[in-house]
Amino acid sequence: MHDELTTSRRGFLKTGAMLGGGLLISFAVPGVRRLARAGSLPAGDAAAVFAPNAFLRIGADDSIQIILAHAEMGQGIWTTLAMLIAEELDADWKKISVEHGPPGKAYIHTAYGLQITGGSSTTWSEFDRYRQAGATARTLLVQAAATQFGVSPAECRTENGEVIAGSQRARYGALAAAAAALPPLAEPVLLRASSEWKYIGKGAKRLDAPAKVNGSARFGMDVQLPGLLTAVVAHPPVYGGKVRSFDDSKARAVPGVRNVVQIPTGIAVIADHFWAAKKGRDALQVTWDHGANVQVDSAAQLREFKQLARTKGLPAAQAGNVENGLAKAAKVIESEYTFPYLAHTPMEPINVTVKLSKNACEIWTGTQMPMAEQAAAAKITGLQPEQVSVHTVFLGGGFGRRATPSCDFVSEAVHIAKASGQTIKMVWTREDDVHGAYYRPSFVHRVRAGIDASGKPVAWEHTLVGQSIMAGSPFEAMMKNGIDPASVEGVADSPYMPAIPDHYVGLHSPRLGLPVLWYRSVGHTHTATVMECMIDELAHAAATDPVAYRRELLKDHPRHLAALNLAAEKAGWGTPLPAGRYRGVAVHESFLSFVAQVAEVSVSEQGAIQVHRVVCAIDCGLAVNPDGVRAQMESGINFGVSTALYGRISLEKGKVQQSNFHDYHIARMNESPLAIEVHIVDSTEKMGGAGECGVPPVAPAIANAVFAATGQRLRDLPFGTHVNLKA
């Protein structure tokens, strides 16, 4: 089945929920509102609207409205999920519109047990459900048409939004009322064979593109309501700090400021518009209690992590006796890799609009977890969940930041509305966002790998040190023997590990006060770099070509091999390059997909790194929308370049040292690889995701190319834009 999970995950489907990186948890939200309607109904008489399920509405005017169980944040599901319904409905693509669904049981993830967009799972998880939704509607429309035509359903066919029988034709809109009156189908409908597909696997123009080009797309920042005020919050300069005292007299004197209220996370200044609110916040005089996190210092933390990495840690994977294996190895290679905290920095900073009354609360925001936000708002306001409406708008990027189990940003906005009694739009500045915590954890890896006389790995000792995302959250119950799977994914389950007779993967998870969160590709952001750079080191020690070395190690892993071979072929691996250019390779599985990348780089006489070309191959099983898959690989590669060369959050005395894009650098257009080529493996294997799996191989491919150019191994991220050629 295309939506089947990996064997290790299947046992959790009935009781758990899984986020990116295999994070599973049961997640109960009380008082879930049942779907009565999703947004505005199609034009025409409401009685004539055909709504066979929670995902589809067909109006008398032939309009087809598709409701998403997931959030569109740039990954293209606004189009891909519509394609699944359109395929089975045999719809007229020009008649389709899309909107986000509200919180509701109907939209709970088919595998994870909660309403969420995450884990690069949307397409594979909805592949059957959304096709069935379209097929059910088409079957009922055919039944309605057959009655109208005076023929049997078997004599009818559909084409581009019409039912046809001989010379008789009826548009879906004309059949909507009759189809709506039919009883529900008792059994699932037989789905179309792949040979009949006209959308799936072939692609379609993005349905959200026109609105995003002409500016009519509605993001959280675009929400406007009568009497809406803007709120900004003065947060403590050290995460977890508290207000000791404050003087708001100067803030209230700023023209346009309407109110100042204290909330659990700081002081909110409310004004007619953003600039007045910001100026009012600047005028606040606050005395802070910085709390325990004032002791957090990145340099000291790195030293502590390195010390811990020299001890074994809790076992995440093991076989044989690693000490004996290392002692018997012909050669042992020892390396240490370091990774800093990373901020998500979606292009649209955090914002939430809240309208609160005695018996209702309405929320407009970009969120990956609308039901959780609904439950959090209900708890704060004292309302029932069904009295809380969450309107999900387009997300200007998420990368995991808009999926916090604590519902931090929605909770903050609801607290402001409750404390002030006003309808507000809370807006975070870029500085608020960079300082706002919930980072990708920092990590240290220490590896000792032994090879035999032929260069084959025979022993592998690997220790990881870094904060757990699950610990201290509702997800902690799903940790097994103290191991957070998001910390060790990509190492403990590496395809290389089973063939190494003596190996030990150990984990230390220090508990620190700075909250951490899943980030685009979660643990794979660091584990892929270590594994693929170490494999490259072993290939060099074995005097073997890096691609040939991987082919031998992955000979029993056909999907890894398919991606690796396609990327190497398309990159021209082994063929001459222009003078001064060098190649590096990496291959990695994440989110049920297999991605290989070849990076082509140069290093100037001054040590400047330039990434000229990245060739990417992906086996994600069936590519429902190939253009969407390519776009996500391109996006992931640019994202990976940013984290590899620039990304770093550092702290001194608990204070984040970065603040905006001038010192938390994101790759600009001129810093992107000059050429990105994406090739999709022709695969009939189980479907995987595409939103995150393009990120992990980027950094190791670049690092391995730099080694080929300079002989230097890059082990501390970010690598920076220059190599010290004198080192």
Side-chain angles (χ1 to χ4, degrees), residues 680-718:
I680 301 173
V681 175
D682 186 9
S683 175
T684 57
E685 298 294 330
K686 180 169 53 186
M687 288 176 71
E692 298 173 85
C693 58
V695 177
V698 180
I702 292 172
N704 293 336
V706 169
F707 171 77
T710 67
Q712 290 192 35
R713 290 289 177 187
L714 304 181
R715 300 192 183 99
D716 297 310
L717 276 84

Side-chain angles (χ1 to χ4, degrees), residues 202-435:
K202 299 171 178 62
K205 292 183 178 179
R206 283 188 63 148
L207 292 169
D208 54 342
K212 289 179 176 177
V213 169
N214 66 30
S216 64
R218 198 183 195 205
F219 294 83
M221 287 291 196
D222 300 316
V223 173
Q224 293 296 328
L225 300 172
L228 182 66
L229 300 174
T230 300
V232 298
V233 179
H235 296 111
V238 174
Y239 186 85
K242 300 293 182 184
V243 175
R244 184 173 291 167
S245 63
F246 71 99
D247 181 349
D248 62 3
S249 57
K250 291 182 179 179
R252 290 181 180 274
V254 172
V257 170
R258 300 298 176 190
N259 205 351
V260 179
V261 295
Q262 183 171 355
I263 57 173
T265 51
I267 308 294
V269 178
I270 302 165
D272 292 335
H273 49 79
F274 169 78
W275 189 243
K278 183 184 180 300
K279 295 295 287 184
R281 182 178 68 174
D282 293 344
L284 277 173
Q285 295 178 305
V286 186
T287 301
W288 300 99
D289 178 353
H290 293 311
N293 283 335
V294 75
Q295 304 298 326
V296 177
D297 180 271
S298 292
Q301 183 187 89
L302 182 61
R303 290 192 296 270
E304 292 166 7
F305 280 17
K306 286 185 173 186
Q307 283 296 112
L308 268 178
R310 294 187 172 275
T311 61
K312 243 183 169 182
L314 295 175
Q318 59 183 321
N321 186 309
V322 72
E323 293 297 339
N324 288 347
L326 289 169
K328 292 185 294 184
K331 186 174 184 179
V332 175
I333 296 166
E334 185 171 335
S335 296
E336 187 176 69
Y337 292 81
T338 66
F339 302 84
Y341 289 110
L342 293 175
H344 302 76
T345 57
M347 187 57 67
E348 180 192 23
I350 296 296
N351 64 89
V352 185
T353 296
V354 181
K355 181 180 180 181
L356 182 61
S357 62
K358 182 179 179 180
N359 297 313
C361 177
E362 283 195 273
I363 298 168
W364 291 261
T365 192
T367 175
Q368 296 172 240
M369 298 174 65
M371 281 179 70
E373 313 290 11
Q374 182 189 52
K379 183 177 180 180
I380 293 166
T381 59
L383 298 171
Q384 294 300 309
E386 58 267 23
Q387 294 175 290
V388 178
S389 301
V390 178
H391 307 283
T392 301
V393 292
F394 281 128
L395 284 66
F399 316 122
R401 179 61 184 92
R402 302 181 197 268
T404 51
S406 65
C407 302
D408 68 304
F409 54 92
V410 166
S411 294
E412 182 170 83
V414 173
H415 275 297
I416 297 170
K418 181 180 179 182
S420 67
Q422 293 163 307
T423 300
I424 59 96
K425 179 194 292 183
M426 181 194 74
V427 175
W428 282 24
T429 65
R430 178 64 59 195
E431 290 80 6
D432 294 334
D433 182 40
V434 172
H435 292 160

Side-chain angles (χ1 to χ4, degrees), residues 78-231:
W78 200 261
T79 302
T80 304
L81 292 188
M83 288 170 61
L84 298 178
I85 286 182
E87 187 67 74
E88 293 294 336
L89 182 60
D90 205 355
D92 181 347
W93 189 252
K94 296 188 294 295
K95 300 291 186 181
I96 290 175
S97 64
V98 183
E99 66 177 61
H100 290 117
K105 287 183 178 179
Y107 304 116
I108 286 176
H109 199 293
T110 59
Y112 296 175
L114 68 157
Q115 189 179 359
I116 189 170
T117 307
S120 296
S121 63
T122 294
T123 301
W124 64 254
S125 70
E126 297 295 358
F127 187 69
D128 288 336
R129 182 162 72 168
Y130 266 64
R131 286 190 301 147
Q132 189 62 230
T136 298
R138 181 167 55 88
T139 300
L140 292 169
L141 288 163
V142 167
Q143 288 181 10
T147 300
Q148 180 178 311
F149 297 160
V151 299
S152 71
E155 297 175 76
C156 298
R157 64 183 177 88
T158 60
E159 182 181 325
N160 203 34
E162 288 186 311
V163 181
I164 305 167
S167 61
Q168 300 184 85
R169 291 174 174 261
R171 299 289 302 172
Y172 286 172
L175 298 167
L182 293 173
L185 299 179
E187 299 292 336
V189 178
L190 184 66
L191 300 174
R192 288 181 159 187
S194 59
S195 60
E196 300 178 85
W197 290 344
K198 65 179 183 180
Y199 294 121
I200 295 175
K202 299 171 178 62
K205 292 183 178 179
R206 283 188 63 148
L207 292 169
D208 54 342
K212 289 179 176 177
V213 169
N214 66 30
S216 64
R218 198 183 195 205
F219 294 83
M221 287 291 196
D222 300 316
V223 173
Q224 293 296 328
L225 300 172
L228 182 66
L229 300 174
T230 300

Side-chain angles (χ1 to χ4, degrees), residues 12 17-26 405 441 466-480 482-489 509 511 516-518 522:
F12 295 96
M18 180 175 66
L19 294 177
L23 311 184
L24 296 115
I25 184 172
S26 52
Q467 282 176 258
S468 163
I469 293 171
M470 296 170 71
S473 80
F475 294 83
E476 186 168 12
M478 302 309 299
M479 292 172 61
K480 187 176 180 181
I483 300 296
D484 182 340
S487 295
V488 297
E489 60 186 0
S509 301
R511 294 218 174 193
V516 291
L517 186 64
W518 26 81
V522 201

Side-chain angles (χ1 to χ4, degrees), residues 547 550-551 563-574 577 582-587 595-601 611-617 637 673 675-677 679 697-698 700-702 704-705:
V547 170
R550 286 172 171 82
R551 283 175 176 152
L564 175 64
N565 289 336
L566 183 58
E569 173 197 342
K570 296 298 184 180
W573 188 271
L577 278 164
Y582 300 84
R583 296 187 183 104
V585 65
V587 58
V595 178
Q597 292 171 5
V598 175
E600 188 176 305
V601 310
V611 183
H612 294 270
R613 181 185 182 209
V614 175
V615 177
C616 173
I637 288 165
I676 297 176
E677 302 170 23
H679 304 276
V698 180
I702 292 172
N704 293 336

